[in-house]
């Protein structure tokens, strides 16, 4: 029996929109990725992944991305935070040590209250319970830098797991789960595609494929998967990058990012179809 996995990477508000545009465009052309046997979601991809695995209608979710932002304030990684990200790349402990330093950055930074942030994620997720279909949501322990995954057997509310996966250090507060604080799963890799190991056919949608410093690029993980799986990696093309703009946390760019995903889906359709079907 052929098993298929859909991997959805991080990329902020515009990453969510672009992924829904890709999924909608492909579905319209007869390639429906939402029927995957496994969904892996990292950061923005955890939002989309929770909705996909729960069986929500693709067109309805895409249409939501086209709605006006209604004055929703854009967050951003300011110059000081970017500098602290760069400095975190230097020090002992390898990649996990880097993640721990980024976690400490998150723990020290004053942001909105954790409860308020979790409530925002709850409001953006039309579903509040874990789906029956396998869904993996990634995060990083802010204290140790250890990589973590949450699924329906972890005993964690879905919205809290997603909020943890989306907790960009220095922008959003770490999220408490079982007494530990967690930050963005994208601090390990933009997509964490290696979690799809063992599946026969894998499609990876990675709005931010490279990451920073010691973060493992999605392409590196995809190449390793190709030893045993048919895999296709898609990231925003030039047109999509123009639509997304420089700030992936700007809700005003959401509609343009979503439309660019639909447009780009036409150029990757044959590649995706050959892997998926």
């Amino acid at each position: 029996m052929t098993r298929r996995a859909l991997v959805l990477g991080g990329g902020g508000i515009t990453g969510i929109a672009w992924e829904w545009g890709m999924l909608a465009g492909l579905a319209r052309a007869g390639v429906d990725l939402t029927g995957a046997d496994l969904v892996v979601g990292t950061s923005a991809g955890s939002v989309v992944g929770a909705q996909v695995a729960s069986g929500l209608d693709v067109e309805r979710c895409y249409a939501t991305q086209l709605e006006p932002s209604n004055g929703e304030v854009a967050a951003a990684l300011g110059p000081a935070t970017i500098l602290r990200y760069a400095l975190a790349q230097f020090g002992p402990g390898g990649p996990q040590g880097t993640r721990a330093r980024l976690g400490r950055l998150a723990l020290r930074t004053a942001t909105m209250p954790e409860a308020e942030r979790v409530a925002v994620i709850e409001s953006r997720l039309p579903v509040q319970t874990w789906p029956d279909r396998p869904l993996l949501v990634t995060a990083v322990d802010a204290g140790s830098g250890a990589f973590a995954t949450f699924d329906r057997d972890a005993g964690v509310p879905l919205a809290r797991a997603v909020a943890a996966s989306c907790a960009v250090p220095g922008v959003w507060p770490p999220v408490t789960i079982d007494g530990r604080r967690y930050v963005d799963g994208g601090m390990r890799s933009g997509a964490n595609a290696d979690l799809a190991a063992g599946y026969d056919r894998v499609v990876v949608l990675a709005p931010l494929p490279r990451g920073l410093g010691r973060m493992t690029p999605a392409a590196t993980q995809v190449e390793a998967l190709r030893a045993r799986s048919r895999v296709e990696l898609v990231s925003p093309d030039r047109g999509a990058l123009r639509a997304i703009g420089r700030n992936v946390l700007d809700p005003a760019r959401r509609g343009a990012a979503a439309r660019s995903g639909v447009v780009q889906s036409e150029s990757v359709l044959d590649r995706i179809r050959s892997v998926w079907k």
Side-chain angles (χ1 to χ4, degrees):
M1 178 180 176
T2 301
R3 300 198 306 163
R4 297 173 173 84
L6 173 63
V7 179
L8 299 162
I13 289 174
T14 55
I16 292 173
W18 176 81
E19 288 177 352
W20 275 121
M22 287 292 304
L23 292 170
L26 291 169
R28 292 171 186 175
V31 182
D32 185 4
L33 302 183
T34 66
D37 301 293
L38 169 72
V39 179
V40 177
T42 291
S43 197
S46 71
V47 177
V48 180
Q51 297 169 337
V52 165
S54 298
L56 299 191
D57 181 74
V58 174
E59 286 294 337
R60 184 172 298 178
C61 290
Y62 170 70
T64 299
Q65 303 306 311
L66 304 180
E67 296 175 357
S69 59
N70 294 325
E72 186 179 349
V73 178
L77 282 170
T81 302
I82 293 174
L83 176 60
R84 293 165 74 186
Y85 269 51
L87 293 174
Q89 307 303 315
F90 301 97
Q96 184 169 337
T98 297
R99 297 194 296 268
R101 287 186 287 276
L102 290 169
R104 289 195 292 272
L105 181 160
L107 293 168
R108 293 194 303 263
T109 304
T111 59
M112 69 189 304
E114 177 185 341
E116 185 176 331
R117 175 61 179 167
V118 173
V120 168
I121 296 298
E122 287 177 342
S123 69
R124 292 177 179 172
L125 283 180
V127 292
Q128 299 298 319
T129 58
W130 286 89
D132 292 332
R133 198 183 338 169
L135 167 67
L136 292 177
V137 173
T138 69
V140 167
D141 188 307
S144 68
F147 182 58
T149 60
F150 301 107
D151 61 14
R152 63 175 300 176
D153 296 324
V156 178
L158 177 60
R160 186 162 287 273
V162 171
S165 190
C166 294
V168 182
V171 178
W172 306 120
V175 174
T176 306
I177 295 175
D178 294 333
R180 304 290 299 178
R181 308 291 300 283
Y182 290 89
V183 296
D184 197 320
M187 295 302 101
R188 175 182 181 259
S189 166
N192 293 298
D194 56 326
L195 295 177
Y199 283 76
D200 304 291
R201 297 170 184 262
V202 182
V203 170
V204 182
L205 302 183
L208 296 174
R210 286 181 292 276
L212 296 172
R214 293 173 173 173
M215 299 175 193
T216 305
T220 301
Q221 295 176 331
V222 164
E223 284 306 311
L225 287 175
R226 285 191 171 126
R228 297 189 176 184
S229 308
R230 295 189 65 181
V231 189
E232 192 61 58
L233 167 65
V234 181
S235 296
D237 60 13
R238 290 183 179 180
L241 289 174
R242 286 195 297 270
I244 288 168
R246 294 185 177 183
N247 182 10
V248 300
L249 300 177
D250 184 358
R253 310 292 296 192
R254 187 163 46 209
R259 293 185 185 94
S260 75
V262 172
V263 172
Q264 186 181 351
S265 70
E266 298 177 10
S267 66
V268 300
L269 176 61
D270 290 341
R271 289 162 47 196
I272 301 298
R273 179 186 283 120
S274 67
V275 167
W276 204 248
K277 293 192 172 184

